[in-house]
Each structure stands twice: as C-alpha cells, then as structure tokens.
C-alpha cells in the first residue's frame, strides 16, 4: 500500500470510526497485554513465542520479575492495579488484547472488567459465574458435578467443615471445625468477614487444567497440578502427639504449585466432566466458556472429583508448565503452555478472520 493511499484511508477512517476500527482497517498487528502478577510471565512468554509483541501492566513495587525475565516488550508502571482503567486508553492505542487471570479478576472485579473497552480474551460474562458461589453451584449442578455440602448455618454443622473467607486470598485464614461450638470459637478472630462453610472432603486435592477452543470446538486437557499449602502440606512432619500438645491448627495458605499426572485410566472421566461443564455454560451464558478453565477439587478414594471451585480463566497451577506439560507435549510435540495456547488461539482466529469469536 502506498503512503498516500494509507494516509487517505487513515483520514477517512479517522472521520467516521473509533480508534479500534482504524487499527482494524490498517491491519495493525495485535499485541498481548496482561497485568504483572499470577501467571503473567507464562502468558507473555507464550505470546512472544507465537510472535506477538507484549505489554505488562505492572504495579511499581512488583516490577522486578518482569524486568528480570525478558517476556515484556513494554512495561507500563502504575501505582496500584486499581488504576488500570486510567491506562486503558493507552492499551487501546497499542491495539492490545488483554488476557485475564486470577489477579486481574481479583483486583478489577467483574463489574469493572465488563465495562472495559479494550479487547478482552474470553467471555467476560462467564467470570460472574466463577465469582458468585450460587451461580457456580447452579452451573456445576447442571453439569452433574459432585460438590461439597454447603452449610447455610453454623448450627447445622454435623461433620468436619472448612471455613473459607470470600475473595481469592490464596487460602489465607481458612480453618477447620468439627462442631458448631468449635466454629464459633474460631470465627471470633474474624468478626467482620464473609465466609462459606463447606463440608471438609477427605482425599487428594487435584486441579484440572482445561482449554476449550471456540474455533475447533474441541476440549483439551492441558495438565494437572496440586497446591503446596502452608501449613497443611507439612503437618505430617509433626507427630500427632506434638500436634495436640502444641495446639497446632491447619491452614491452607498457597505458597506454590506442584506438577502432577493422573492415572491414565482416569482421563476419560476428566474429559467427560470437562465437556459437561462447557456444554452447560453454553446454555447458561451464551456463547459459553471458552479458553482456559480449571476444575478444582478433591479426588476421594472412590475416584470421584468433588469440585469446590471452578476458575473460568487461566490458573496459576499451569505455571510449572511454561515449557509444556506431559499432556500438551502429547498433543503439540512442542513446548506449549496454557499462555502459549491462548496466544495460538488468538493467532489462528486472526488468520481466519475470526477474532471476534475469541474476544468477549
Ligand atoms: P481454595 O481457596 O478454595 O482453592 O482452597 C484452598 C485449599 O483448601 C485447597 O487447595 C484444599 O487443600 C483445601 N480445600 C478447599 N476446599 C476444601 C474442601 N471442601 N475439602 C477439603 N479441602 C479443601
């Protein structure tokens, strides 16, 4: 295209269109942006591997890792993630697509995310379903997924329960109780907090990482992880008698993630429940869930996953697999992280003129 044609096109576009339409007309390359926390290193690395320029929006005090690891072509520093809206226009001018992750949802909240005008990967409306426990219950029940019992009143506690505080706080403050009296004793330390009382399920915690492509309409299993939680994961190092004499209490503060593979014979089951979750999401919140998501739960000795949480976006448990998981290696035969899989989806969508299908 000659300079004069380009200029003419630009002038016509500027007269009638918004900046995003001008960018579309000029076919300016898309960039991938996210906020610097949670799984940003993986998302940005994956985007670079797929040939995108990348932007990291970062709190000044957290910028060091994003300078240490060369995954961001540009770093936009802000004082607080709550100032994200102030730099939104800059991201639109950069022609960026924002990738949501756990911290993004936590700091911006779904109502603000819904108002964003910058391109956003994934169905924004589905984020409501992950942050609202009642909606989550409706969705998972419709998908015939087993969930732990919820106690709507402490008076009804008749078995071991785990008490969880609202908001993604990485398990901080959660406590166990065996009776109504014990619940009241322990909740006294948290007078103003909202909580949920859930049946404590005994088994092994498993987080299943899925990806559903709206382009191929295929579900993929990208991996599994388990969390490394303090002090739950080290309490076994203390003898039971010492636990009692020192009045040790279990806590579930997440420190890191541990990679995991499951028995191969369990894969059909995990695929089936993932498919049901996607299918129901399409009925409940069209066009449904697409991109990465995670079922988080406990596998009991009868080999059933009792799901206590669903995340409708990338989870930090995919971070051990920046160079790919055993499962993505089977499918792609090249390093394929969840972050890279997102970028690949966007790339394929752009090449096939279907970008609208992966934004929402
Ligand atoms: P969450 O913040 O919901 O991801 O929970 C943090 C951790 O608490 C999990 O990784 C589990 O170790 C534990 N946990 C949460 N819910 C349950 C439950 N219903 N039964 C047993 N353990 C649970």
């Amino acid at each position: 295209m000659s300079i004069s044609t380009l200029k003419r096109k630009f002038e016509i576009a500027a007269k009638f269109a918004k900046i995003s339409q001008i960018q579309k007309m000029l076919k300016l390359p898309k960039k991938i942006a996210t906020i610097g926390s949670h799984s940003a290193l993986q998302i940005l690395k994956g985007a670079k591997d797929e040939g995108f320029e990348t932007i990291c929006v970062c709190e000044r005090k957290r910028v060091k890792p994003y300078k240490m690891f060369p995954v961001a072509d540009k770093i936009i520093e802000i004082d607080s993630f709550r100032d994200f809206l102030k730099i939104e226009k800059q991201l639109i001018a950069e022609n960026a697509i924002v990738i949501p992750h756990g911290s993004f949802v936590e700091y911006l909240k779904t109502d603000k995310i819904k108002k964003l005008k910058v391109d956003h990967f994934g169905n924004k409306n589905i984020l409501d379903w992950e942050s609202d426990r009642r909606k989550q219950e409706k969705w998972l029940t419709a998908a015939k997924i087993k969930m732990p019992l919820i106690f709507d009143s402490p008076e009804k506690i008749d078995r071991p329960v785990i008490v969880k505080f609202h908001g993604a706080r990485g398990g901080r403050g959660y406590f166990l109780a065996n009776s109504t009296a014990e619940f009241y004793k322990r909740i006294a330390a948290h007078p103003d907090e909202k909580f949920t009382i859930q049946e404590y399920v005994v088994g092994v915690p498993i987080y299943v990482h899925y990806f559903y492509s709206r382009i191929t309409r295929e579900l993929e299993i990208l991996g599994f992880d388990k969390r490394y939680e303090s002090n739950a994961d080290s309490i076994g190092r203390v003898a039971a008698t010492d636990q009692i004499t020192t009045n040790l209490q279990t806590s579930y503060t997440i420190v890191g993630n541990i990679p995991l593979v499951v028995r191969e014979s369990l894969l059909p089951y995990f695929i089936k429940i993932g498919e049901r979750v996607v299918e129901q999401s399409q009925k409940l919140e069209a066009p449904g869930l697409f991109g990465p998501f995670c079922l988080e739960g406990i596998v009991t000795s009868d080999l059933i996953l009792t799901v206590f949480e669903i995340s409708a976006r990338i989870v930090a448990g995919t971070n051990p697999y920046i160079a790919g998981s055993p499962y993505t290696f089977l499918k792609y035969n090249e390093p394929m992280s969840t972050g890279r899989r997102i970028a690949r989806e966007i790339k394929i969508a752009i090449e096939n003129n279907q970008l609208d299908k992966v934004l929402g």
Side-chain angles (χ1 to χ4, degrees):
M1 199 185 301
S2 73
I3 297 284
S4 58
T5 323
L6 199 70
K7 211 173 145 212
R8 180 86 193 113
K9 266 196 165 189
F10 189 83
E11 280 165 6
I12 296 169
K15 232 179 191 173
F16 301 106
K18 284 194 256 170
I19 188 157
S20 54
Q21 287 165 318
I22 299 171
Q23 287 160 336
K24 216 172 181 175
M25 255 180 108
L26 296 178
K27 290 202 164 65
L28 290 180
K30 284 280 176 196
K31 295 179 184 171
I32 299 293
T34 197
I35 64 170
S37 181
H38 192 266
S39 45
L41 290 169
Q42 181 197 159
I43 291 170
L44 300 173
K45 163 84 175 124
K48 278 186 88 65
D49 287 346
E50 289 298 303
F52 289 96
E53 267 191 55
T54 57
I55 303 168
C56 182
V57 181
C58 205
E59 280 188 342
R60 245 174 270 290
K61 59 179 184 246
R62 301 186 194 216
V63 79
K64 277 199 174 160
Y66 306 97
K67 289 190 170 160
M68 177 183 284
F69 303 111
V71 292
D73 294 304
K74 183 174 205 165
I75 296 177
I76 300 175
E77 291 186 36
I78 51 181
D79 288 328
S80 154
F81 284 138
R82 295 180 210 289
D83 294 338
F84 184 83
L85 289 178
K86 293 185 191 161
I87 57 96
E88 193 194 359
K89 277 200 178 127
Q90 200 178 334
L91 290 179
I92 295 172
E94 292 272 9
N95 210 15
I97 299 174
V98 169
I99 313 295
H101 55 53
S103 304
F104 190 73
V105 176
E106 170 62 9
Y107 292 118
L108 261 78
K109 308 287 179 223
T110 42
D111 52 332
K112 270 196 198 150
I113 294 176
K114 278 196 206 162
K115 288 186 194 140
L116 291 179
K117 295 200 175 57
V118 61
D119 283 347
H120 169 279
F121 176 79
N123 180 355
K124 276 180 193 168
N125 293 332
I126 212 82
L127 295 174
D128 271 346
W129 292 79
E130 80 154 54
S131 50
D132 181 328
R133 269 193 200 276
R134 275 179 214 288
K135 283 189 152 184
Q136 231 184 73
E137 210 179 315
K138 187 175 169 191
W139 179 9
L140 294 174
T141 310
K144 297 194 176 64
I145 305 286
K146 191 170 179 195
M147 297 179 73
L149 272 178
I150 304 277
F151 292 85
D152 53 14
S153 144
E155 272 61 39
K156 294 186 184 160
I157 296 175
D158 62 354
R159 65 193 76 194
V161 295
I162 179 164
V163 179
K164 299 178 169 188
F165 296 102
H166 291 191
R169 325 183 330 162
R172 207 169 326 130
Y174 290 7
F175 64 83
L176 300 185
N178 262 316
S179 62
T180 303
E182 197 179 357
F183 167 83
Y184 279 118
K185 205 169 117 197
R186 297 216 172 146
I187 199 71
H190 310 270
D192 301 318
E193 299 203 56
K194 286 192 176 158
F195 56 81
T196 303
I197 308 172
Q198 235 176 46
E199 166 192 12
Y200 186 83
V201 183
V202 180
V204 290
I206 292 216
Y207 294 67
V208 194
H209 317 148
Y210 296 97
F211 190 96
Y212 178 70
S213 166
R214 237 190 125 195
I215 297 184
T216 63
R217 296 203 190 153
E218 254 179 52
L219 179 80
E220 296 165 35
I221 284 193
L222 301 187
F224 299 85
D225 78 290
K226 64 178 214 158
R227 311 273 141 112
Y228 196 41
E229 294 163 345
S230 187
N231 57 13
D233 285 316
S234 63
I235 230 149
R237 291 158 59 96
V238 182
T241 46
D242 294 331
Q243 290 178 21
I244 292 162
T245 51
T246 55
N247 194 22
L248 251 182
Q249 282 165 19
T250 324
S251 58
Y252 295 85
T253 310
I254 293 166
V255 179
N257 303 87
I258 303 170
L260 192 88
V261 289
V262 297
R263 277 171 71 174
E264 200 157 312
S265 57
L266 282 174
L267 286 177
Y269 168 69
F270 285 122
I271 295 169
K272 193 170 66 191
I273 59 174
E275 283 173 346
R276 291 208 298 255
V277 165
V278 172
E279 214 176 280
Q280 286 308 317
S281 74
Q282 292 165 347
K283 291 184 188 156
L284 294 169
E285 192 64 75
L289 174 64
F290 57 89
F293 68 100
C294 179
L295 289 181
E296 311 175 1
I298 306 282
V299 176
T300 41
S301 52
D302 54 0
L303 299 179
I304 299 291
L305 181 71
T306 302
V307 175
F308 51 73
E309 190 102 48
I310 177 166
S311 295
R313 33 86 196 159
I314 186 170
V315 289
T318 59
N319 284 338
Y321 304 122
I322 290 184
S325 77
Y327 300 94
T328 61
F329 190 65
L330 287 169
K331 186 161 172 72
Y332 292 97
N333 219 17
E334 64 178 324
M336 180 62 66
S337 67
T338 300
R340 186 168 183 183
R341 182 64 190 85
I342 294 170
R344 174 79 50 100
E345 188 80 348
I346 294 171
K347 194 162 103 177
I348 294 171
I350 292 171
E351 283 165 3
N352 292 287
N353 230 356
Q354 295 190 319
L355 187 58
D356 290 348
K357 260 194 164 172
V358 301
L359 305 179

